[in-house]
Structures are given as structure tokens and as C-alpha cells.
């Protein structure tokens, strides 16, 4: 069975600080990896995804993530955060099947608070 | 282009009543997923449906919960005889086709059981 760990439950940063949110997964086969964001009062939106190819993935709003297969990790990074990045961030995985439509397994989320 | 719609956004039920949650996928999407988010937890998969078929219900509780996605109309998640432990946010997601690489999420329905 797949599992996802997000060790940072709540992160507080000042504007312009650099961000790295950890995500580790457990699964024996090929995986697809995702980061979703949930802004206050809004639904989940996709930040970025990794299926194959370049392990450094760039997403929207200046976010990027690096897939390190040997560490089973997919950490999210942003060099300089803004107040508007305050949100909850979820890492998710699904099995990399040929059909593509597989259930997502989510981490418990990291609440990010940016102080102006 | 409307996104995934869920209604109601908030639902209050007393113990023992039934809850019906509706999800209208994005236009052209024929795959629907339901997830549940308990307080202080991540989203947990419940069920995956295509039109008129349940593909994967491995996350559904064995009793009181059911889901359908008829040929016409929204997908329905039905919870019979609700208990306090059913209080959660229920999210629906849709994707357009086999091989699609992203699930689009709705705003969720927050169920409160008194």
C-alpha cells in the first residue's frame, strides 16, 4: 500500500524567506507525484506534478519540486515566499499505471503561514 | 468553463439521518473520485466511478456508505444513518479520460453531524 509523509505540520516564515516542504512516500513501483495547494476557503489546486523525465519540476507561482528516487522524496521549494502563499500544501502520489487514472494517496498536509 | 461543482457546501444532519452529497464533474469528464478529509488529517480516497460503473471502492466503509454516477446527472455519495464520526469534509474530483494525468477538485461539502 502507498503512504505519504509530510513531517512539517505547520511552518511559519517571513516574506522573502526561502521555503522547503518535505514529502516522502512509500511505494514499491512506479509513482506519479503531485503537490496540491488549498488557499483559505478555496478548493484544492494543482501546483505541480511529476510523471517522468527531468526530476526537477517547475510549477505555478514560482514553486518547484525535485524527485529524488533514492530517497523516495519529492520536496517542494520556493526561493522567496509571499504573504499570498499562506495556505495548506498537500503532497500526493498515485501508482504510475498505464491507464493513469489511479486514486491519489495524500499526506496529512503542511499549513504554511507567511508573516508580512 | 465551470469547474467541479459540489452541493451542498455545508450540510448539517442529526444522528440517524441520511446525507446525500452531490458532485457534478467538469464538462466532458467521465471519471469521478470521492475523498474524505477528517479534522487534522489529509484527504483519504473513498471511491472511483465512471459513468454507471464503480471502478474502485476500496476506501469506502463497508456499511452505510454508497456511491453512484448515473448516465445522466451528478454523482451522489450517500451516507445512511449518520454518526458523529462521519463529520468531515467530502471532496469530489473529476478527470476527463483514461490516461489523464490530473484530477480536478471541487470545493467540498462540509458535513456536520449533531
Amino acid at each position: 500500500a502507498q503512504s505519504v509523509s509530510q513531517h512539517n505540520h505547520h511552518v511559519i516564515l517571513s516574506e522573502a524567506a526561502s521555503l522547503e516542504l518535505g514529502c516522502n512516500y512509500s511505494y514499491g513501483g512506479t509513482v506519479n507525484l503531485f503537490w496540491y495547494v488549498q488557499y483559505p476557503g478555496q478548493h484544492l489546486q494543482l501546483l505541480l506534478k511529476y510523471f517522468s523525465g527531468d526530476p526537477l519540476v517547475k510549477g505555478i507561482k514560482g514553486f518547484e519540486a525535485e524527485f529524488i528516487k533514492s530517497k523516495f522524496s519529492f520536496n517542494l521549494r520556493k526561493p522567496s515566499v509571499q504573504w499570498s502563499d499562506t495556505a495548506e500544501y498537500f503532497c500526493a502520489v498515485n501508482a504510475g499505471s498505464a491507464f493513469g487514472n489511479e486514486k491519489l494517496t495524500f499526506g496529512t498536509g503542511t499549513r504554511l503561514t507567511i508573516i508580512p | 468553463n465551470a469547474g467541479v461543482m459540489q452541493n451542498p457546501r455545508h450540510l448539517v444532519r442529526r444522528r440517524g439521518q441520511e446525507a446525500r452529497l452531490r458532485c457534478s464533474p467538469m464538462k466532458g469528464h467521465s471519471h469521478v473520485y470521492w475523498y474524505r478529509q477528517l479534522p487534522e488529517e489529509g484527504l483519504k480516497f473513498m471511491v472511483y466511478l465512471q459513468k454507471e460503473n464503480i471502478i474502485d471502492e476500496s476506501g469506502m466503509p463497508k456499511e452505510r456508505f454508497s456511491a453512484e454516477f448515473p448516465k445522466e446527472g451528478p454523482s451522489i455519495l450517500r451516507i445512511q444513518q449518520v454518526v458523529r464520526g462521519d463529520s468531515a469534509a467530502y471532496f469530489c474530483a473529476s478527470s476527463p479520460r483514461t490516461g489523464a494525468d490530473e484530477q480536478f477538485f471541487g470545493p467540498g461539502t462540509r458535513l456536520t453531524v449533531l
Side-chain angles (χ1 to χ4, degrees):
Chain A
Q2 303 162 17
S3 67
V4 178
S5 295
Q6 291 182 248
H7 303 295
N8 312 109
H9 296 293
H10 191 188
V11 173
I12 302 172
L13 293 172
S14 298
E15 276 191 308
S18 65
L19 169 72
E20 181 160 1
L21 301 182
C23 172
N24 289 90
Y25 68 92
S26 173
Y27 183 65
T30 304
V31 292
N32 302 317
L33 297 151
F34 306 82
W35 275 97
Y36 282 87
V37 60
Q38 188 175 26
Y39 297 104
Q42 298 188 26
H43 58 276
L44 272 79
Q45 302 171 42
L46 183 68
L47 268 181
L48 48 79
K49 61 192 177 192
Y50 172 81
F51 274 50
S52 63
D54 188 344
L56 184 61
V57 179
K58 295 198 183 298
I60 61 171
K61 305 189 180 188
F63 286 91
E64 64 178 32
E66 185 175 10
F67 170 50
I68 303 180
K69 190 174 181 181
S70 61
K71 295 185 179 180
F72 297 90
S73 70
F74 190 55
N75 292 355
L76 181 71
R77 300 195 292 248
K78 186 170 183 178
S80 177
V81 294
Q82 300 171 305
W83 178 79
S84 58
D85 293 325
T86 294
E88 187 131 21
Y89 292 80
F90 294 94
C91 181
V93 306
N94 67 6
S97 75
F99 296 101
N101 286 74
E102 293 281 348
K103 60 192 177 190
L104 289 167
T105 299
F106 284 86
T108 52
T110 297
R111 186 176 303 170
L112 176 64
T113 301
I114 306 301
I115 301 170
Chain B
N1 187 15
V4 178
M5 310 285 284
Q6 289 188 251
N7 67 81
R9 294 291 305 275
H10 300 275
L11 181 62
V12 179
R13 286 287 177 264
R14 296 191 181 279
R15 281 180 295 171
Q17 291 184 319
E18 178 180 288
R20 280 183 180 243
L21 288 62
R22 294 175 190 77
C23 169
S24 297
M26 287 180 70
K27 187 176 181 180
H29 288 196
S30 58
H31 301 255
V32 165
Y33 307 77
W34 284 95
Y35 295 84
R36 176 167 65 173
Q37 185 180 27
L38 294 168
E40 304 301 319
E41 294 187 19
L43 283 75
K44 297 260 194 287
F45 168 79
M46 300 181 75
V47 63
Y48 163 34
L49 310 102
Q50 293 179 26
K51 285 284 187 180
E52 301 184 277
N53 288 304
I54 296 174
I55 306 302
D56 181 354
E57 56 181 348
S58 58
M60 286 279 268
K62 294 285 184 272
E63 297 176 347
R64 302 187 296 108
F65 285 71
S66 63
E68 63 177 10
F69 188 17
K71 187 176 180 182
E72 301 292 337
S75 175
I76 306 284
L77 179 67
R78 182 181 176 208
I79 312 172
Q80 295 178 290
Q81 300 176 326
V82 296
V83 300
R84 289 223 172 102
D86 296 332
S87 294
Y90 292 82
F91 291 93
C92 169
S94 72
S95 65
R97 62 191 179 277
T98 300
D101 58 1
E102 181 181 347
Q103 296 177 22
F104 295 82
F105 282 81
T109 294
R110 297 201 177 275
L111 172 66
T112 301
V113 180
L114 301 177

